[in-house]
Amino acid sequence: MLKSIEKNNLSFVDPDPIDTQSKTNLFSNNFFNKIKKNKGAIIGSVILLFFIITSALAPIIAPYPVNEMNFDDSLQGPSLEHWLGTDEFGRDIWTRMLHGGRVSLLMGLFAVTISGTIGVVLGVIAGYYRKLDIYIMQFIDILMTFPSLLMAIAIVAVLGVGLTNAMIAVAISAVPSFVRVVRGAVLSIRETEYIEAARALGVKNWKIIGRHILPNVISPIIILATLEFGGSILSAASLSFLGLGAQPPNPEWGALVYVGKSFLSQAWWMTLFPGLAIMLVVLGFNLLGDGLRDALDPKSK
C-alpha cells in the first residue's frame, strides 16, 4: 500500500516546472528550432561534421598510405598531386592530417567520456550528500589550483610519455569542471518541493537521484561536455607538441605541428594546416556549445 500511495503522490508532485522543462527542452521541436536559428551552432556543426566524416573515412579517401615515404617528393609545397604539400620524408600532409584527425578526435572523446563520468558521479554525491560535500570539494579545489595543462603535464611526467597516458592526463585535468557544474545544479534541485515530497514518502536516495536529479542536470552536462571536447583536443595537441603525447610517426595534429616547427622557414605548410585543423575543430565545438546553451536555456525565448 505504501508503494501505491508513493506512486500516486509522486505522479501528482512530479510535474514541477523545472523537472518538466529539462525533459522537454532536449527533445521538443522548440529545441531544434532554436538550434536552426542559431547561425553559430549551424556553422560549428558543419565544421565538426566535415572533420568527423573525413577522419572516419580516412582509410578510404586518403590518396596515399599514411607512412609512405618518398624522398624525391620531400618538402614539396601544395600542388595538385599533394594538396597540402609533403613533409621532410615526402609523406603526404593531407593523408596524415586525415589520419591525425582520427587520433585527435578519439583523444577528445576518451577524455570527455572519462572526465564526464567521474565528474558527474562526484558532483552528484557532493551535491546530494552534504556530509561528503566538504571532502570532495576540498579535493577538487586543490586540483583547480593548478592550470589544467600544467596538471596534465605533471600527470604525464608521473605516468610516462605516450598517447594513452596523455589521454588519461587530459581526462583527469577536466574532472574538476564537471564536478563543480554538476554539484551546483544538484544543490539547487535537491531543495525543490518535489524532491522534499519524494523524501517524505520514503523514496530511496538512488531512485531520487536517477529519476528526478539526473534528468535535470543533463542540459548543463551536455553543454559542458561539448565545450570540454574542444578543450580536450587542444590540451592533447599541446601535450603532443611538447613531445609528451603522441610520438612520431603517429600522425596526431599536435605531433604534426611539433615536427613542422623545425621546418617552418622552408616548409610552412607542415605547421599551418595541422594548426588550422586544431583551431577549426575547437572553434566548431565552442560555437556548437554556445548554441546548445542558448537552446537549452529555459529562460530564452
Side-chain angles (χ1 to χ4, degrees), residues 13 38 55 78 85 92 99 132 135 151 154 191 193 218 225 277 282 289:
V13 176
N38 191 305
S55 298
D92 184 66
H99 287 271
L132 300 176
Y135 302 106
M151 184 191 303
E191 304 300 333
E193 294 181 357
I218 287 179
V282 174

Side-chain angles (χ1 to χ4, degrees), residues 57-262:
L57 299 178
I60 300 174
I61 65 177
Y64 300 94
V66 62
N67 287 319
E68 182 183 66
M69 299 184 186
N70 185 358
F71 291 97
D72 293 334
D73 294 335
S74 62
L75 299 180
Q76 287 191 4
S79 63
L80 293 177
E81 185 179 0
H82 299 284
W83 295 354
L84 303 183
T86 62
D87 62 8
E88 74 276 24
F89 297 112
R91 295 174 297 190
D92 184 66
I93 297 295
W94 170 240
T95 297
R96 292 181 63 75
M97 278 189 56
L98 290 175
H99 287 271
R102 296 163 65 91
V103 178
S104 295
L105 291 173
L106 285 176
M107 289 180 73
L109 178 62
F110 175 87
V112 170
T113 301
I114 298 301
S115 62
T117 302
I118 297 174
V120 169
V121 172
L122 292 179
V124 169
I125 294 174
Y128 191 81
Y129 298 98
R130 301 308 303 276
K131 292 182 179 179
L132 300 176
D133 182 28
I134 185 172
Y135 302 106
I136 294 176
M137 294 314 297
Q138 282 181 347
F139 175 69
I140 295 301
D141 289 339
I142 292 174
L143 293 181
M144 292 196 71
T145 58
F146 300 93
S148 58
L149 181 58
L150 181 60
M151 184 191 303
I153 292 174
I155 294 172
V156 171
V158 173
L159 298 179
V161 175
L163 185 61
T164 302
N165 292 338
M167 289 190 290
I168 295 173
V170 173
I172 295 175
S173 64
V175 168
S177 299
F178 282 96
V179 174
R180 293 182 69 89
V181 169
V182 174
R183 172 184 175 270
V186 173
L187 285 175
S188 63
I189 294 168
R190 73 185 300 273
E191 304 300 333
T192 54
E193 294 181 357
Y194 67 93
I195 298 296
E196 294 292 338
R199 287 203 199 96
L201 291 170
V203 181
K204 295 181 180 180
N205 288 329
W206 66 269
K207 285 186 177 181
I208 295 176
I209 292 173
R211 183 177 178 184
H212 300 290
I213 291 181
L214 285 180
N216 282 278
V217 300
I218 287 179
S219 295
I221 291 174
I222 291 176
I223 296 169
L224 180 60
T226 304
L227 297 173
E228 284 292 337
F229 207 122
S232 297
I233 291 176
L234 184 60
S235 297
S238 300
L239 290 177
S240 297
F241 179 80
L242 295 173
L244 302 176
Q247 301 297 306
N250 201 343
E252 193 267 339
W253 287 340
L256 293 179
V257 175
Y258 171 74
V259 173
K261 71 179 177 61
S262 301

